[in-house]
Amino acid sequence: MKDSRLEDRDTTMNDTKISARGVQVHYADNHAIKDVDVEIQDKTVTAFIGPSGCGKTTFLRCINRMNDTIDICRVNGTIEIDGEDIYDKRIDPVQLRRKVGMVFQKPNPFPKSIYDNVAYGPKIHGLARNKAELDEIVENALRRGAIWDEVKDRLDAPGTGLSGGQQQRICIARAVATEPEILLMDEPCSALDPIASGQVEELIDELRANYSVVIVTHSMQQAARVSQKTAFFHLGNLVEYGDTDEIFTNPRDKRTESYITGRIG
Amino acid sequence: MSDASAPRSTGASGSLMVLDARTKKRHAAERRFRYYGMGAVGLGVLLLVMLLVSILSNGLGAFRQTVFELEITLTQAQITEAEEALLKTSVYRGIIEENMREALDAAGVGDEVETARAMELLGGDAGSTLRQWAVSQRVTPVPQPDEGVTRTFDFLADGRIDGYFKGRVTMETAELDSRVSPEELQLADTLREAGVLRIELNPGFLTMPDASENQPEAAGLGVAIVGSLYMMLIVLCLALPIGVCASIYLEEFAPKNWFTDLIEVNISNLAAVPSIVYGILGLAIFINFMGLPLSAPIVGGLVLTLMTLPTIIISTRAALKSVPPSIRSAALGVGASNMQTVFHHVLPLAAPGILTGTIIGLAQALGETAPLLLIGMVAFVQDYPDAPPEGLFDPASALPVQVYNWTQRADPAFFERASGAIIVLLVFLAIMNVTAVLLRRRFERRW
């Protein structure tokens, strides 16, 4: 764990961006998330780790209300973004999801051209007044997705024809194109090879400058490499939440230690 | 001594070169299964070939017809005279008789054939065919000098004569037939050798309306084709939007509760309801209650729409279900609303499935007979319906009903017509199915 980034990581910034209190999630009779409290900070990468089925993804999907699309899912408790309860009746999930972008586990570009993939979000939110502005937004998003140089000559080619790593970076570009403030990433590297994973990790580190990034990962090395804060989930409980180097070098809870050392999970 | 020099043992499980009994049995079972499959496919192909051969051999004759080729010259004076007469078509028949004499003379058989005898071989509709043209050529006032107009006609020969050349009527059956005699058949042979009678392609089969019992040679599918087209138009315009909207609502927006479950079960059940039940429904609602006209394509179209809706809804829902959920998540994730997700992403991906389902539903509706019988489309209709939309309320026939109608008539000439109509129906169905396949390919090629 002698990563140079561990040392110079800036943890002084602690404006709370997302604040969850007493969050409970039920899928029908299955109690998936049990009373989770967490404060996620702005301009920070927060990693959710834990064994399969522990509720990391479920909690992540609560933050942009993607769980609304599942009929049997019930969410209790409050999740506030910038002090506003996102489960308030007055909050429209469509508007929320513009502010909270999401990258999924499996790269899922639309079966359209690369350009249309990235331009779709800005188009439906009316971010560009004309074609030139839209072109600029698309280029900026692709640059931030670290894929511009690879695709700039074939923006009309289908997004589904790219390799897995390229597709995932297109999806990241698509997510940042709508200018979100928070970026949720659900195991973004699980379908990628180590080289592509490395590219995405570098990207996440760059994105930290502008966004609050929440990433779910199964790879503890990845969590250690990219995140400043780590939350460990186990059986629906948030067991431990703190600075990443604290969690990895000096876990307070027995279960965290067992998981990190590979005894459970 | 090293292991390499030891005699090779076949191991505990025996040599791989020898098939054991169990493996043999499994292979035999596989081979048997393959033969069953080949047998089933073979039987299916055999039956299909039998069907096609029987229909084609019976029905292709309907597309060719025995005709008198006559050149007719009409002066305006003749037209005026005929139009002022009481029995107009019989005057025109007289005019044909004059021209027939000239034609017989020109063919060199004028001496041996009496014109009046030859006229008996002419079909019953020749007079009205000529009149139709004559009326369109009429000029008032009569110009001077009255030069007259000339055109070559293919007048249909009597159905029995046509049947004789197609092998349906023989000298023996003519003996027993009140409508034809062996002498007339011999005369027909003479005329055919002289080139006055000949067998030509018969476009009238596709363009002419139905004809009476005694004139099988003049019976055509025109009104039935127009009626079927009108009904398909109505089904397409009503069933496609209603069906697609209903499925999108049920699949994407409706809450999942006992009520939507009930609707779902009922739609599946409706798809299995016998079509004649829809006919009774149409009779009760559209004709008795709403007072729409009998035999009209509008009623037929509405009934067929009801019948096609479940098919379209079921296939559309299946197509929507097959769109991967990751696409929906992707669209929702960038902040698209439910409707944007459906219309921008889900619907385009489901389009090939929806189109295929729609065309299969249409094809099913095109071939449907039973409900149309109940709403009076089985009537004998001689006049073409007007152009839509008014024409949708005019009486018309439909292709499958025309087949049913013709097979019920006594004259065997109508059996040939019915087989011909089946060929036309099958061609339409084939066109629709090919369209479905092509559309599917076309839309799926978008990566």
Side-chain angles (χ1 to χ4, degrees):
Chain A
M1 219 52 68
K2 267 286 163 212
D3 192 313
S4 63
R5 264 177 285 172
L6 284 177
E7 267 75 28
D8 56 42
R9 192 183 288 126
D10 179 12
T11 49
T12 55
M13 224 185 298
N14 46 17
D15 307 338
T16 302
K17 187 75 183 167
I18 307 166
S19 151
R21 281 190 302 276
V23 175
Q24 313 262 359
V25 180
H26 294 262
Y27 291 114
D29 294 334
N30 178 15
H31 198 172
I33 300 272
K34 296 161 192 161
D35 205 17
V36 167
D37 294 272
V38 69
E39 307 265 317
I40 293 169
Q41 292 167 354
D42 201 6
K43 301 203 189 331
T44 311
V45 177
T46 306
F48 289 177
I49 59 171
S52 296
C54 67
K56 325 177 279 290
T57 299
T58 300
F59 184 69
L60 191 76
R61 289 167 61 95
C62 288
I63 301 174
N64 68 347
R65 291 184 60 175
M66 280 300 276
N67 282 336
D68 288 16
T69 57
I70 301 168
D71 286 326
I72 54 165
C73 181
R74 274 184 302 122
V75 181
N76 302 103
T78 55
I79 298 177
E80 288 179 355
I81 292 180
D82 295 333
E84 290 172 333
D85 181 7
I86 60 166
Y87 280 88
D88 191 284
K89 278 196 170 51
R90 284 167 295 178
I91 299 277
D92 181 40
V94 170
Q95 221 172 322
L96 170 72
R97 287 179 201 136
R98 203 204 124 185
K99 195 168 175 173
V100 186
M102 185 153 190
V103 177
F104 297 85
Q105 184 170 4
K106 218 179 99 208
N108 55 353
F110 299 129
K112 297 175 190 278
S113 71
I114 293 171
Y115 183 93
D116 288 339
N117 259 288
V118 181
Y120 181 70
K123 255 189 221 160
I124 59 172
H125 294 300
L127 299 186
R129 272 178 311 232
N130 51 44
K131 179 86 171 82
E133 273 187 29
L134 191 60
D135 286 348
E136 201 185 311
I137 292 175
V138 170
E139 182 178 339
N140 281 336
L142 287 170
R143 279 188 195 286
R144 263 186 284 169
I147 181 108
W148 171 252
D149 291 328
E150 289 162 62
V151 299
K152 65 181 175 205
D153 301 322
R154 44 176 176 146
L155 291 176
D156 291 329
T160 41
L162 300 170
S163 75
Q166 288 173 321
Q167 285 188 16
Q168 192 62 299
R169 279 179 286 153
I170 292 286
C171 292
I172 294 173
R174 182 176 67 191
V176 300
T178 56
E179 299 289 339
E181 295 168 27
I182 299 166
L183 202 53
L184 307 178
M185 301 179 131
D186 185 3
E187 296 179 44
C189 300
S190 66
L192 306 186
D193 65 58
I195 294 169
S197 301
Q199 288 166 330
V200 172
E201 279 173 26
E202 262 174 52
L203 182 58
I204 292 169
D205 203 55
E206 286 162 29
L207 293 173
R208 175 159 69 95
N210 297 307
Y211 308 97
S212 168
V213 180
V214 184
I215 175 170
V216 166
T217 178
H218 268 136
S219 152
M220 277 166 288
Q221 287 83 355
Q222 186 176 54
R225 280 194 299 267
V226 301
S227 70
Q228 289 81 53
K229 292 275 194 179
T230 296
F232 171 65
F233 286 79
H234 187 237
L235 301 176
N237 295 303
L238 177 62
V239 174
E240 195 168 344
Y241 175 58
D243 289 344
T244 299
D245 43 3
E246 275 287 312
I247 296 250
F248 279 94
T249 51
N250 192 14
R252 289 190 303 270
D253 195 285
K254 263 271 185 311
R255 288 170 289 179
T256 316
E257 194 187 347
S258 313
Y259 181 68
I260 287 168
T261 51
R263 277 200 291 274
I264 57 171
Chain B
M1 193 197 258
S2 70
D3 283 349
S5 61
R8 222 162 48 171
S9 121
T10 52
S13 58
S15 166
L16 282 176
M17 310 290 270
V18 184
L19 271 184
D20 64 23
R22 210 179 148 69
T23 316
K24 257 186 213 156
K25 233 170 142 182
R26 290 192 309 201
H27 283 314
E30 189 179 321
R31 218 172 304 121
R32 266 201 312 278
F33 184 76
R34 230 182 296 155
Y35 290 144
Y36 294 153
M38 276 154 68
V41 171
L43 193 67
V45 169
L46 185 74
L47 289 175
L48 182 69
V49 167
M50 270 165 61
L51 175 84
L52 284 180
V53 165
S54 123
I55 288 176
L56 288 178
S57 63
N58 284 319
L60 278 180
F63 294 90
R64 296 172 70 78
Q65 198 73 26
T66 313
V67 293
F68 279 95
E69 195 184 271
L70 294 179
E71 196 181 77
I72 303 281
T73 307
L74 273 180
T75 61
Q76 292 295 333
Q78 276 176 310
I79 298 176
T80 314
E81 184 199 339
E83 287 301 312
E84 280 163 2
L86 191 62
L87 291 169
K88 301 177 178 69
T89 49
S90 66
V91 178
Y92 283 111
R93 228 179 142 80
I95 297 173
I96 296 174
E97 189 163 350
E98 287 164 30
N99 288 278
M100 175 81 87
R101 187 172 307 131
E102 285 166 28
L104 292 179
D105 287 338
V109 288
D111 299 333
E112 46 178 312
V113 180
E114 280 179 58
T115 316
R117 308 275 304 148
M119 282 304 283
E120 276 169 23
L121 306 188
L122 196 62
D125 74 323
S128 60
T129 309
L130 180 58
R131 183 180 172 225
Q132 256 177 11
W133 176 70
V135 171
S136 73
Q137 296 296 318
R138 195 174 182 188
V139 189
T140 44
V142 176
Q144 295 298 333
D146 187 1
E147 282 173 342
V149 280
T150 305
R151 188 185 146 186
T152 307
F153 276 92
D154 285 341
F155 289 116
L156 296 170
D158 188 82
R160 290 291 197 279
I161 305 303
D162 181 54
Y164 173 58
F165 289 130
K166 287 172 183 167
R168 198 165 54 230
V169 175
T170 58
M171 291 295 175
E172 289 79 48
T173 63
E175 294 273 8
L176 309 168
D177 198 334
S178 63
R179 286 181 49 201
V180 74
S181 60
E183 291 75 43
E184 283 176 326
L185 297 184
Q186 280 156 6
L187 177 64
D189 276 333
T190 316
L191 289 178
R192 193 172 179 196
E193 273 161 38
V196 180
L197 263 185
R198 50 167 84 172
I199 295 183
E200 294 281 346
L201 268 184
N202 178 25
F205 183 60
L206 295 177
T207 58
M208 285 191 306
D210 194 8
S212 73
E213 188 89 25
N214 294 327
Q215 295 183 10
E217 70 277 3
L221 281 172
V223 175
I225 291 176
V226 172
S228 275
L229 282 182
Y230 280 8
M231 286 194 292
M232 289 307 103
L233 202 70
I234 294 169
V235 174
L236 189 67
C237 291
L238 290 178
L240 181 63
I242 297 177
V244 171
C245 287
S247 353
I248 290 177
Y249 176 74
L250 284 174
E251 195 59 42
E252 307 283 342
F253 297 102
K256 303 274 175 285
N257 54 29
W258 65 269
F259 187 64
T260 45
D261 282 350
L262 189 74
I263 290 179
E264 205 176 322
V265 170
N266 276 306
I267 288 174
S268 313
N269 284 340
L270 279 180
V273 166
S275 57
I276 198 149
V277 176
Y278 288 101
I280 294 179
L281 184 80
L283 185 64
I285 293 183
F286 298 128
I287 294 179
N288 287 347
F289 178 67
M290 291 169 67
L292 291 172
L294 273 168
S295 311
I298 181 84
V299 182
L302 287 172
V303 169
L304 294 179
T305 300
L306 289 181
M307 212 196 73
T308 316
L309 264 178
T311 314
I312 293 187
I313 292 180
I314 290 171
S315 60
T316 303
R317 291 191 67 177
L320 289 173
K321 256 191 203 124
S322 70
V323 173
S326 67
I327 295 293
R328 279 172 238 261
S329 316
L332 290 174
V334 293
S337 66
N338 266 344
M339 201 169 121
Q340 286 170 326
T341 306
V342 171
F343 282 92
H344 294 168
H345 301 288
V346 178
L347 211 48
L349 289 175
I354 296 175
L355 279 172
T356 314
T358 306
I359 290 176
I360 287 172
L362 275 183
Q364 194 188 342
L366 179 66
E368 200 53 69
T369 326
L372 301 182
L373 297 181
L374 283 179
I375 56 157
M377 303 257 338
V378 75
F380 175 75
V381 182
Q382 267 238 292
D383 294 318
Y384 277 92
D386 291 338
E390 295 85 13
L392 300 179
F393 295 87
D394 291 344
S397 187
L399 276 172
V401 177
Q402 196 69 70
V403 173
Y404 169 79
N405 220 340
W406 281 345
T407 48
Q408 299 220 309
R409 296 195 185 169
D411 194 329
F414 279 110
F415 182 69
E416 176 200 82
R417 300 265 143 182
S419 298
I422 291 173
I423 295 176
V424 173
L425 189 58
L426 288 181
V427 167
F428 277 124
L429 290 176
I431 290 174
M432 289 169 83
N433 287 337
V434 168
T435 315
V437 172
L438 289 182
L439 280 176
R440 198 180 183 112
R441 289 241 183 98
R442 167 87 188 72
F443 279 94
E444 275 182 347
R445 206 170 289 166
R446 305 188 336 179
W447 55 77

